[in-house]
Amino acid sequence: MFRYFHLVLFFICTVQTTNGLSIQPKVVNGTDATDGKYPYAVSVRYFGYHECGGSIIGDRWILTAAHCIYSSLVSNATVLYGTVHLQNGESPESYTAKVIQLIQHDRYTALAPSYENDIGLIKLKEPLQFNDRVQPVNLAESVSPTPAGESGVLVGWGYEIDNGSVPEILQQVELMIYSDVACFEAHHGEAQIHVHLCAGYPEGGKGQCTGDSGGPLTVNGTQYGIVSWSVKPCAVAGYPGVYSKVSTYRQWIYNKTGI
């Protein structure tokens, strides 16, 4: 039986080996990204371990999912940026930013299956220095319609399969953006079209999994979605991944960040 689930991976579960053998899974059916191809992609970390994905939207601001926000752990939160190499459990000084504030949407509904308002922000202690490998992503505007039928790109360090592990290299996968109606129908009304959009393939086999939460879904370089929830098994046929719709929260983002 399918069950709805958030795609979060807590730090105490980030094990990189099985029976002593290293395994390298990834976004379901993704491929390795190269440094600089997605300069906005970051790893949100607690105690040095990957928890969620996120995107750079300003020199001191990261966009992620609300369920990736643990306000009580702000002093143990960091953001890995400017590299495709996860370096899980390590905190390379040149690629790690300290966090000063964690903001969860005040109307986030942490209840299955809808998880409405699943959006959060991370404020960094010091501004990032932009270069070829560190850049903010463009955000969909409030009036932007869902780009139904277009090809989107999801990037993240999530599992390739259920009960897998995080990969070392950032993964990329192309997904089809569903129309609002198709998204609503695929999830039998549990995906709410005013706050959600869907991406995947009817036949399944590609998409998000555990560890991809908070990561960006872009279309032609503009972020339209934030990984929120899906059903198990990951990328199952008929059940596209569900994303928080950036256009719905554009004003909220501006009110909190000025961006």
Side-chain angles (χ1 to χ4, degrees):
M1 179 180 293
F2 298 124
R3 67 180 178 86
Y4 292 92
F5 78 116
H6 266 330
L7 303 165
V8 72
L9 163 73
F10 202 50
F11 62 90
I12 60 173
C13 299
T14 51
V15 179
Q16 290 281 55
T17 61
T18 299
N19 296 326
L21 299 176
S22 178
I23 53 179
Q24 297 292 326
K26 50 200 176 186
V27 166
V28 181
N29 276 324
T31 58
D32 289 354
T34 56
D35 269 321
K37 187 172 183 179
Y38 306 102
Y40 50 82
V42 304
S43 165
V44 177
R45 300 149 79 85
Y46 293 94
F47 299 95
Y49 287 91
H50 175 75
E51 176 76 5
C52 285
S55 54
I56 299 170
I57 62 171
D59 62 0
R60 294 188 67 183
W61 290 101
I62 305 299
L63 183 64
T64 190
H67 73 270
C68 295
I69 298 295
Y70 300 95
S71 297
S72 63
L73 298 178
V74 64
S75 62
N76 302 111
T78 55
V79 170
L80 185 76
Y81 67 95
T83 179
V84 298
H85 298 278
L86 187 62
Q87 303 173 78
N88 211 28
E90 301 179 14
S91 295
E93 186 174 339
S94 58
Y95 295 113
T96 303
K98 294 181 179 180
V99 173
I100 194 171
Q101 188 178 13
L102 296 167
I103 302 172
Q104 188 179 72
H105 196 288
D106 55 4
R107 300 179 71 179
Y108 166 55
T109 303
L111 297 173
S114 61
Y115 302 113
E116 290 193 33
N117 304 310
D118 190 11
I119 183 172
L121 290 163
I122 299 172
K123 188 175 184 179
L124 305 179
K125 187 174 182 180
E126 301 292 340
L128 299 174
Q129 300 300 311
F130 292 151
N131 54 47
D132 290 345
R133 297 186 180 185
V134 183
Q135 287 289 327
V137 67
N138 295 322
L139 296 176
E141 295 298 333
S142 298
V143 296
S144 301
T146 297
E150 295 194 38
S151 177
V153 176
L154 167 66
V155 295
W157 285 274
Y159 294 0
E160 181 183 26
I161 56 174
D162 298 331
N163 302 314
S165 68
V166 293
E168 164 59 18
I169 304 296
L170 179 71
Q171 298 295 299
Q172 58 189 353
V173 65
E174 290 191 11
L175 302 172
M176 183 188 78
I177 309 298
Y178 280 53
S179 69
D180 289 338
V181 171
C183 180
F184 182 84
E185 292 178 346
H187 289 285
H188 311 292
E190 302 296 354
Q192 304 298 313
I193 62 175
H194 63 293
V195 295
H196 296 138
L197 62 82
C198 291
Y201 284 98
E203 64 271 25
K206 291 184 179 182
Q208 65 213 49
C209 200
T210 305
D212 286 320
S213 287
L217 174 73
T218 61
V219 176
N220 297 324
T222 294
Q223 185 173 351
Y224 281 84
I226 303 164
V227 177
S228 180
W229 58 269
S230 187
V231 298
K232 273 196 171 184
C234 296
V236 66
Y239 290 88
V242 180
Y243 299 74
S244 295
K245 187 179 287 187
V246 171
S247 59
T248 296
Y249 300 101
R250 194 64 186 85
Q251 187 63 47
W252 181 83
I253 294 169
Y254 177 79
N255 290 345
K256 296 294 184 182
T257 68
I259 296 170

